[in-house]
Amino acid sequence: VVEPKFDGVSASLIYEDGVFVRGVTRGDGRIGEDVTQNLRTIRNLPLVLDASKGELPAVLEVRGEVLIQLERFHAFNEAREASGQDRLANPRNAAAGALRRNDPSTVAKYPLEFHTWSAPRFKAGEYVSQTDANAALKEWGLPFSKYGEVVKGLDACLAYHAKMEGGRDKIPFEIDGVVAKLDDLALRERLGRTARAMRWQYAHKFTAREVSTALLAIEASVGTNGRLTPRAHVEPVEVGGVVVRHTTLHNAEHVASLGVKVGDRVFVHRAGDVIPQVNGVAKAAEGSAPADWSDQLPEELRDEEGGIVPGVTSGWAEEYAVPSGCPACGTAPVQEGKYWRCPNTYGCQPQVVGRATHLAGRGGFEIDRIGPKQIAQLFAEGLINGPGDLFHLDRDAEKRGVLVELERWGEKSVDGLFEQLEERRRVDFGRFLAALAIPDVGAQTGRLLAMHFEELDSLKGATEEELLDVDGIGPEVAASIATWFTSKEGEELLEQLFSGGVELVYPEQSAGGGALDGKTLVFTGTMEGMTRAEAKQQAEAAGGRVASSVSKKTDFLVVGGKPGSKAKKAEELGVRVLLEEGFVEFLRSGD
């Protein structure tokens, strides 16, 4: 099944006995935002399904995309402008903004529409393919795009991609590629998924649209972990419906490979139709700078006296060079591989603000009463010196008095923040790990670590070899985690948090009493009666933990056809080896 990859906002709809009862956005991938009342305003979305076309399931979950047709978007923008409102940037942002509004009567004015692309909760077993399931969904009244097809073989998938890319400007919606899905639902189940993606589908993006513009300056910006990243400031230009003013240049080595200098006309595109990137030089800067050159520099690159702020390369035809001092605090940067980093973790404003914002954000403690601007205020006033200091604000009467007097704060705001701080002190272990801003550890890796290690102390003491036992963690991430937990900054942040009253809530490692309760398994070779994903699911359901490599802590190695070096290592370490049949029997009997 091949379909357009719409550039809209995904939503999940729940129907109970054919009646629409709830709708949510994707959110962080686990918890979405309830937008039920706003979705009810979408004209082509049925609130009650047509039961005359076949028996309806008791619970039906439908997923799809909320979109605005281009022609309707332009007409909507003209109407907004005529009424004195600002024009919206592009259809996707307009749809996303509409769904987050608090007033459904305002949302109803937006020309939104919904297009179905899957139904993950359905009548199990009644349909053998997505094609059959889609036919039922259409009969019940759910809207679909007319551009989906069923093809056979990879060449046909590629041909569909070429056809859609060639005709993308004739399609009334913004699309940035195509999606190909295996039609057979039973085979999808067998293929399963990885931690990040389904194995039975893939997205194939279109070639990015490219335009040229002038490179005005290159700024060394300081990130959450202190990394100095070259950032290009360009003359504003529209790329695929979005006005681009600046874009990352990754690192000094990447800038050198592009050969760009300030004043060049450069090619800019949006990678995947999303992330702006400089793709090379269109025309090198020649001669002397135009008279109005310095006037074109953005205000954000100027200080109060009108001069250029530190860390900015702005001279005509100048090459970018790593600054000798951090643009934010003046500390000499240190080189780490291809990157340069400011080591002044708790004295450099962008790092403290970035880390504290990350800690309080949606993937961390979810403290939505405070954001980057307020955190920057707190740092400037000396109320926090590190991310963990957030949990000390409500424990200091003097700090409370200062907070109340700050601009845009007051009694009500401070009370609301303090109440939320108290509520959020108890935090899920996996979410806690993601909040620490350990390089390469996000929400998914945090969950993997939380399920593998029973408590924080066992994780802190883990070696790189032990971290590699966690299925889904490779050498670079293992090294990053081990380094962070032995670093001074890691120890200081943990001390800040726990002295501020933070408490960890550990997940249940298993329901208890399973055949593999507390045991660690490794799989190798080709399974015959089930897929590796199915075997892993069965092991975890029985209380086991699945690791990716054999070590002294491995209890069982499950061997399929054509086993690799893991079998030899298991023999050397005296690890018990089970064939696939033995594994199935052990699950049944526990022996």
Side-chain angles (χ1 to χ4, degrees):
V1 177
V2 284
E3 306 163 339
K5 187 177 181 301
F6 291 118
D7 191 14
V9 181
S10 62
S12 177
L13 319 176
I14 302 295
Y15 287 85
E16 294 180 357
D17 296 321
V19 178
F20 175 55
V21 295
R22 188 166 62 258
V24 297
T25 62
R26 179 179 291 165
D28 64 1
R30 295 179 69 203
I31 301 173
E33 183 178 355
D34 191 329
V35 291
T36 305
Q37 298 308 316
N38 289 340
L39 288 171
R40 288 181 183 279
T41 69
I42 298 178
R43 292 167 182 79
N44 76 329
L45 185 64
L47 301 182
V48 179
L49 299 180
D50 185 356
S52 68
K53 301 295 185 179
E55 182 185 353
L56 294 169
V59 178
L60 170 66
E61 180 183 359
V62 175
R63 293 184 188 174
E65 206 86 1
V66 179
L67 305 161
I68 300 178
Q69 288 194 34
L70 287 166
E71 187 176 326
R72 292 173 182 169
F73 170 74
H74 295 314
F76 183 66
N77 249 348
E78 289 173 8
R80 283 178 61 90
E81 196 169 40
S83 64
Q85 296 176 284
D86 292 335
R87 294 179 69 88
L88 300 172
N90 55 65
R92 187 194 183 284
N93 288 2
L99 288 183
R100 291 189 177 93
R101 285 184 170 271
N102 294 324
D103 182 10
S105 64
T106 301
V107 180
K109 298 175 183 177
Y110 283 70
L112 301 174
E113 51 189 271
F114 183 82
H115 290 266
T116 307
W117 36 256
S118 77
R121 272 193 278 174
F122 207 7
K123 288 183 170 182
E126 290 202 13
Y127 302 97
V128 297
S129 69
Q130 180 175 323
T131 303
D132 293 340
N134 284 356
L137 294 170
K138 289 175 185 176
E139 287 199 334
W140 292 333
L142 287 159
F144 279 80
S145 156
K146 68 178 183 180
Y147 299 99
E149 297 180 14
V150 179
V151 300
K152 187 174 182 179
L154 183 59
D155 288 342
C157 291
L158 297 175
Y160 175 80
H161 176 275
K163 180 179 74 172
M164 295 301 288
E165 184 168 27
R168 67 190 295 191
D169 291 330
K170 297 177 183 178
I171 295 172
F173 304 99
E174 289 279 9
I175 63 173
D176 57 10
V178 302
V179 179
K181 307 175 184 179
L182 190 64
D183 195 27
D184 188 305
L185 299 181
L187 288 179
R188 286 188 188 184
E189 194 68 26
R190 289 203 65 191
L191 281 173
R193 58 173 299 158
T194 66
R196 297 178 183 272
M198 304 294 182
R199 288 193 175 96
W200 44 264
Q201 69 175 9
Y202 76 93
H204 190 174
K205 293 290 192 79
F206 293 152
T207 303
R209 300 179 190 270
E210 193 171 71
V211 299
S212 68
T213 187
L215 177 60
L216 304 177
I218 302 176
E219 172 194 14
S221 63
V222 186
T224 295
N225 286 308
R227 183 175 288 176
L228 272 58
T229 303
R231 185 180 186 225
H233 289 260
V234 298
E235 189 174 359
V237 61
E238 185 174 313
V239 186
V242 174
V243 176
V244 174
R245 292 181 171 82
H246 35 67
T247 172
T248 180
L249 288 169
H250 304 296
N251 54 59
E253 183 178 299
H254 180 67
V255 180
S257 69
L258 290 173
V260 296
K261 299 178 182 178
V262 174
D264 289 347
R265 285 201 69 81
V266 294
F267 290 118
V268 174
H269 71 257
R270 289 170 62 210
D273 277 353
V274 178
I275 303 170
Q277 289 185 348
V278 171
N279 204 31
V281 178
K283 184 179 180 181
E286 297 177 356
S288 57
D292 64 345
W293 177 254
S294 61
D295 296 337
Q296 297 182 50
L297 291 177
E299 287 297 320
E300 61 190 287
L301 299 185
R302 298 184 183 280
D303 57 26
E304 293 179 358
E305 286 74 38
I308 304 300
V309 298
V312 175
T313 304
S314 62
W316 183 257
E318 275 194 28
E319 295 182 359
Y320 170 77
V322 177
S324 58
C326 170
C329 67
T331 305
V334 295
Q335 188 169 10
E336 296 179 348
K338 295 180 180 180
Y339 301 95
W340 291 81
R341 186 176 70 85
C342 170
N344 186 19
T345 304
Y346 294 117
C348 183
Q349 183 186 24
Q351 293 190 63
V352 175
V353 173
R355 289 169 187 267
T357 300
H358 179 82
L359 184 98
R362 177 177 287 184
F365 284 81
E366 291 192 297
I367 306 168
D368 55 22
R369 291 276 187 169
I370 195 168
K373 290 182 180 179
Q374 293 97 324
I375 290 172
Q377 270 185 303
L378 301 183
F379 180 82
E381 294 290 333
L383 294 171
I384 64 169
N385 295 307
D389 286 340
L390 289 175
F391 286 100
H392 294 260
L393 292 172
D394 60 339
R395 299 194 166 193
D396 188 322
E398 186 178 337
K399 287 184 177 181
R400 188 188 191 287
V402 177
L403 267 174
V404 169
E405 296 300 321
L406 287 180
E407 184 181 358
R408 296 184 180 179
W409 281 78
E411 297 277 357
K412 189 174 180 180
S413 295
V414 172
D415 288 343
L417 172 61
F418 284 7
E419 286 174 13
Q420 199 169 61
L421 286 171
E422 189 58 38
E423 291 172 1
R424 299 293 193 264
R425 277 188 165 87
R426 281 178 56 82
V427 64
D428 172 82
F429 185 31
R431 186 178 287 274
F432 172 81
L433 295 173
L436 298 176
I438 302 170
D440 303 314
V441 176
Q444 179 62 29
T445 303
R447 286 194 289 271
L448 290 174
L449 292 169
M451 292 303 298
H452 190 86
F453 292 95
E454 294 182 356
E455 56 184 21
L456 180 61
D457 285 343
S458 59
L459 172 57
K460 286 169 63 177
T463 64
E464 288 185 34
E465 183 181 23
E466 289 170 329
L467 286 163
L468 286 171
D469 281 345
V470 183
D471 191 32
I473 290 183
E476 289 186 14
V477 178
S480 177
I481 295 167
T483 299
W484 191 91
F485 276 110
T486 56
S487 69
K488 180 181 178 182
E489 65 188 57
E491 291 175 358
E492 288 178 351
L493 177 54
L494 293 176
E495 171 59 29
Q496 281 180 313
L497 292 170
F498 293 127
S499 64
V502 169
E503 297 178 31
L504 300 185
V505 178
Y506 292 104
E508 294 183 14
Q509 299 298 321
S510 73
L516 295 171
D517 195 15
K519 304 294 185 182
T520 299
L521 296 85
V522 175
F523 291 93
T524 186
T526 305
M527 311 293 282
E528 295 183 2
M530 65 184 85
T531 65
R532 182 80 65 85
E534 289 169 338
K536 179 180 176 182
Q537 288 173 1
Q538 289 190 29
E540 290 176 343
R545 301 178 195 168
V546 179
S548 56
S549 59
V550 176
S551 71
K552 293 178 181 177
K553 293 187 177 181
T554 305
D555 294 292
F556 301 108
L557 176 70
V558 181
V559 177
K562 299 181 180 178
S565 58
K566 293 176 183 177
K568 184 177 179 181
K569 187 170 183 181
E571 184 180 350
E572 293 172 353
L573 295 174
V575 172
R576 183 177 175 182
V577 176
L578 296 174
L579 297 177
E580 184 176 342
E581 297 81 1
F583 167 66
V584 173
E585 178 59 29
F586 193 96
L587 289 176
R588 185 181 301 114
S589 65
D591 188 10

